[in-house]
Amino acid sequence: MTRILTLADSAGWSELAQKLRGVRSLLVITGAGVSAESGISTFRGAGGFWEKFRAEELASPEGFRRDPELVWRWYHERRQALLENQPNPGHFALAELETLIPDFTLVTQNVDGYHRQAGSRNIVEIHGSIWELRCTREGKIWEDHLPLQVLPVYCSCGALARPNVLWFGEVYDGERMRKAQAAAARAELIVVAGTSGMVWIVSGLLQVHRGEVIEVNLEPTDLTTQADLLLQGPSGQVFPRLLDLMNTTEGE
Ligand code: OAD
């Protein structure tokens, strides 16, 4: 049975913070929900991208071949939204948590770059980055954080460029996958936050894990039965609260 702890529960949080302080190896897996409080749309559920748009048109190699400008327009708009917003207290708390745990890895499905911007260091961006572009001919990758001026985007060699992100039907990058799986295998604890778990990677990482699992989400998900504990609440409040308690219970 999964235990549930909400923000309204007063008992249980200090004990949890105390326990986290003793953890030496932690993997945090994040999804779109951790950026929701930054004003960034999630994929599923009410108001999510996949309610309004078709994933196969906007996030697949076939969709890109059919209409690169449409795909680029969508990525351009997402980049604009990210430039107009910023990481939230959940991102910053996770960056600080990294400094307290000897072996800390963050695997994010998010391409938004907010964890990096908030100061997280040991990150595996398993679905790539919206701030990286890739030449469709030479495979060259470059960073570009400015608003895109011309759509679609071309490489200097004249070939089309694409966002360096993972699309449906594409294969995960081997090196990132190995790093993520190794972290999952050695972690004492995995915290899974702000993800519906609908994309295979999350259950794939939980499968190679032997320790405890804590979920952070607004509501129970398909992952909840695999979790020992659900911290039910917005990640922008849950992580700062945990961090606060970890700092204040020090030495007790
Ligand atoms: P989803 O949109 O599928 O799920 C977002 C999850 O975040 C849901 O379970 C929400 O309940 C939860 N949530 C929303 N706001 C939250 C908050 N403030 N605090 C905590 N939880 C919150 O997003 P992902 O699971 O990230 O892949 O989606 C996985 C992948 O599917 C994405 O990386 C993307 C998408 O298609 C690709 O594009 C390859």
Side-chain angles (χ1 to χ4, degrees), residues 30-34 36-37 42-44 50 59 109-110 127 166-168 193-199 216-219 221 233-236:
T30 63
V34 299
E37 287 153 274
T42 60
F43 292 93
R44 297 171 184 82
W50 300 152
Q109 298 167 91
N110 300 345
H127 288 165
L166 188 83
W167 282 333
F168 288 99
T195 179
S196 60
M198 296 303 281
V199 168
V216 176
N217 205 300
L218 296 181
E219 58 194 20
T221 68
S235 54

XYZ file of all heavy atoms in Angstrom, residues 30-34 36-37 42-44 50 59 109-110 127 166-168 193-199 216-219 221 233-236, ligand 1:
289
model
N 12.262 13.687 -13.170
C 11.213 14.706 -13.269
C 10.521 14.674 -14.637
O 11.059 14.183 -15.620
C 11.766 16.135 -13.039
O 12.720 16.439 -14.063
C 12.395 16.282 -11.672
N 9.307 15.252 -14.630
C 8.526 15.389 -15.852
C 7.912 16.782 -15.900
O 8.199 17.649 -15.045
N 7.048 16.974 -16.879
C 6.506 18.300 -17.187
C 5.857 18.994 -15.983
O 5.846 20.226 -15.913
C 5.497 18.181 -18.319
N 5.317 18.211 -15.045
C 4.637 18.805 -13.890
C 5.532 19.706 -13.056
O 5.050 20.659 -12.435
N 6.853 19.446 -13.034
C 7.722 20.305 -12.215
C 7.873 21.706 -12.820
O 8.266 22.642 -12.134
C 9.129 19.706 -11.918
C 9.052 18.409 -11.149
C 9.943 19.544 -13.169
N 5.191 23.127 -14.348
C 3.823 23.672 -14.460
C 3.690 24.984 -13.681
O 3.055 25.938 -14.145
C 2.811 22.645 -13.967
N 4.325 25.037 -12.497
C 4.225 26.265 -11.693
C 5.061 27.417 -12.261
O 5.005 28.535 -11.752
C 4.623 25.980 -10.247
C 3.554 25.185 -9.513
C 4.160 24.377 -8.395
O 4.613 23.240 -8.666
O 4.207 24.886 -7.267
N 1.861 21.248 -19.468
C 2.240 19.831 -19.431
C 1.747 19.183 -20.742
O 1.231 19.881 -21.623
C 1.626 19.124 -18.205
O 0.211 19.241 -18.292
C 2.121 19.726 -16.894
N 1.895 17.891 -20.869
C 1.506 17.213 -22.115
C 0.114 16.609 -22.024
O -0.685 16.697 -22.943
C 2.529 16.111 -22.464
C 3.850 16.700 -22.849
C 4.853 16.878 -21.897
C 4.084 17.126 -24.143
C 6.066 17.457 -22.242
C 5.289 17.705 -24.500
C 6.282 17.870 -23.544
N -0.155 15.966 -20.869
C -1.421 15.243 -20.744
C -2.314 15.927 -19.719
O -1.853 16.776 -18.968
C -1.164 13.779 -20.356
C -0.381 13.077 -21.442
C 0.112 11.704 -21.064
N 0.937 11.180 -22.161
C 2.221 11.498 -22.344
N 2.836 12.283 -21.488
N 2.879 11.020 -23.364
N -1.106 17.619 -25.563
C -1.684 16.531 -26.376
C -3.212 16.545 -26.375
O -3.836 15.732 -27.028
C -1.137 15.168 -25.962
C 0.362 15.006 -26.099
C 1.142 14.176 -25.354
C 1.258 15.645 -27.034
N 2.463 14.274 -25.756
C 2.558 15.174 -26.784
C 1.098 16.588 -28.061
C 3.683 15.591 -27.500
C 2.219 17.020 -28.773
C 3.473 16.509 -28.494
N 5.765 15.950 -32.963
C 6.893 15.353 -32.242
C 7.222 13.977 -32.795
O 7.355 13.010 -32.043
C 6.571 15.276 -30.750
N 12.807 14.339 -18.029
C 12.194 14.142 -19.356
C 11.953 15.500 -20.001
O 11.582 15.586 -21.158
C 10.845 13.437 -19.204
C 10.940 12.046 -18.603
C 9.564 11.548 -18.191
O 8.877 10.915 -18.961
N 9.141 11.845 -16.977
N 12.169 16.556 -19.227
C 11.875 17.899 -19.737
C 13.008 18.405 -20.618
O 14.180 18.235 -20.297
C 11.658 18.874 -18.572
C 10.504 18.434 -17.692
O 9.718 17.591 -18.101
N 10.399 18.983 -16.497
N 15.425 13.320 -22.780
C 14.699 13.638 -24.024
C 15.347 14.796 -24.791
O 14.731 15.353 -25.696
C 13.226 13.966 -23.725
C 12.424 12.761 -23.329
N 11.188 12.832 -22.742
C 12.704 11.432 -23.453
C 10.736 11.604 -22.508
N 11.641 10.745 -22.922
N 14.178 14.180 -28.350
C 13.732 12.839 -28.745
C 12.276 12.902 -29.169
O 11.430 13.420 -28.443
C 13.881 11.877 -27.562
C 13.626 10.417 -27.915
C 14.892 9.798 -28.513
C 13.211 9.623 -26.686
N 11.988 12.356 -30.337
C 10.605 12.320 -30.810
C 10.053 10.907 -30.719
O 10.809 9.939 -30.592
C 10.548 12.813 -32.266
C 10.629 14.302 -32.395
C 10.243 15.219 -31.462
C 11.118 15.046 -33.514
N 10.451 16.491 -31.937
C 10.980 16.417 -33.200
C 11.646 14.693 -34.756
C 11.357 17.431 -34.076
C 12.022 15.703 -35.639
C 11.871 17.059 -35.296
N 8.743 10.807 -30.823
C 8.093 9.497 -30.779
C 8.662 8.612 -31.886
O 8.851 9.075 -33.013
C 6.574 9.634 -30.915
C 5.957 10.202 -29.673
C 5.638 11.549 -29.584
C 5.750 9.397 -28.555
C 5.102 12.083 -28.410
C 5.220 9.924 -27.383
C 4.899 11.258 -27.312
N 8.967 12.856 -9.851
C 8.158 14.055 -9.617
C 7.559 14.627 -10.898
O 8.250 14.749 -11.920
C 9.026 15.132 -8.950
N 6.286 14.970 -10.824
C 5.645 15.715 -11.910
C 5.589 14.980 -13.224
O 5.673 15.595 -14.285
N 5.436 13.665 -13.161
C 5.310 12.908 -14.415
C 4.142 11.931 -14.330
O 3.905 11.341 -13.281
C 6.617 12.161 -14.771
O 6.420 11.436 -15.980
C 7.092 11.220 -13.679
N 3.469 11.782 -15.470
C 2.363 10.818 -15.518
C 2.919 9.404 -15.653
O 2.196 8.436 -15.454
C 1.466 11.125 -16.722
O 2.229 11.027 -17.916
N 4.204 9.286 -16.037
C 4.811 7.964 -16.213
C 4.306 7.260 -17.471
O 4.498 6.061 -17.629
N 3.679 8.013 -18.362
C 3.097 7.386 -19.559
C 4.160 7.032 -20.590
O 3.924 6.230 -21.476
C 2.068 8.320 -20.217
C 0.856 8.621 -19.360
S -0.024 7.137 -18.849
C -0.924 6.790 -20.342
N 5.311 7.686 -20.514
C 6.390 7.351 -21.435
C 7.279 6.308 -20.745
O 7.575 6.415 -19.549
C 7.171 8.623 -21.848
C 8.463 8.281 -22.564
C 6.296 9.468 -22.767
N 6.124 12.421 -6.238
C 5.631 13.763 -5.941
C 4.702 14.135 -7.085
O 5.121 14.207 -8.241
C 6.794 14.792 -5.864
C 6.253 16.202 -5.644
C 7.787 14.413 -4.773
N 3.438 14.334 -6.783
C 2.482 14.653 -7.842
C 1.249 15.287 -7.212
O 0.994 15.129 -6.018
C 2.078 13.383 -8.610
C 1.603 13.688 -10.025
O 0.623 14.412 -10.215
N 2.287 13.156 -11.022
N 0.502 15.990 -8.046
C -0.755 16.586 -7.556
C -1.776 15.526 -7.241
O -2.687 15.737 -6.430
C -1.343 17.505 -8.639
C -0.549 18.737 -9.048
C -1.324 19.504 -10.108
C -0.294 19.619 -7.828
N -1.631 14.384 -7.942
C -2.653 13.337 -7.807
C -2.015 11.973 -8.026
O -0.920 11.894 -8.591
C -3.748 13.568 -8.855
C -3.184 13.569 -10.265
C -4.130 14.115 -11.308
O -5.073 14.847 -10.953
O -3.907 13.787 -12.486
N -1.051 8.562 -9.816
C -0.863 8.257 -11.241
C -0.736 6.745 -11.399
O -0.791 6.010 -10.414
C 0.443 8.889 -11.770
O 1.546 8.208 -11.136
C 0.533 10.369 -11.474
N 1.073 17.008 -3.757
C 1.086 18.467 -3.733
C 1.922 18.970 -4.880
O 2.594 18.193 -5.566
N 1.904 20.290 -5.126
C 2.719 20.844 -6.212
C 4.205 20.767 -5.878
O 4.612 21.083 -4.749
C 2.242 22.299 -6.304
C 1.443 22.568 -5.087
C 1.084 21.280 -4.419
N 5.000 20.355 -6.855
C 6.439 20.168 -6.599
C 7.109 21.474 -6.190
O 8.106 21.459 -5.468
C 7.127 19.584 -7.830
O 6.860 20.368 -8.962
N 6.551 22.598 -6.610
C 7.108 23.904 -6.232
C 6.909 24.206 -4.752
O 7.496 25.164 -4.225
P 2.607 14.648 -18.523
O 1.944 15.846 -19.071
O 2.269 13.327 -19.112
O 2.336 14.534 -16.956
C 2.504 15.628 -16.101
C 2.279 15.143 -14.682
O 2.594 16.223 -13.817
C 0.839 14.724 -14.356
O 0.860 13.488 -13.687
C 0.330 15.843 -13.435
O -0.591 15.370 -12.455
C 1.615 16.297 -12.796
N 1.626 17.702 -12.325
C 1.076 18.786 -12.884
N 1.373 19.893 -12.201
C 2.155 19.505 -11.164
C 2.796 20.189 -10.090
N 2.703 21.507 -9.925
N 3.530 19.452 -9.214
C 3.629 18.110 -9.348
N 3.045 17.423 -10.331
C 2.326 18.098 -11.234
O 4.190 14.941 -18.607
P 5.390 13.907 -18.591
O 5.117 12.761 -17.715
O 6.622 14.692 -18.370
O 7.973 13.304 -24.345
O 5.399 13.415 -20.091
C 6.387 12.526 -20.479
C 6.768 12.748 -21.915
O 5.598 12.697 -22.738
C 7.345 14.121 -22.217
O 8.725 14.210 -21.933
C 7.098 14.237 -23.684
C 5.662 13.770 -23.703
O 5.183 13.311 -24.904
C 8.430 13.547 -25.560
O 8.137 14.555 -26.163
C 9.354 12.483 -26.094
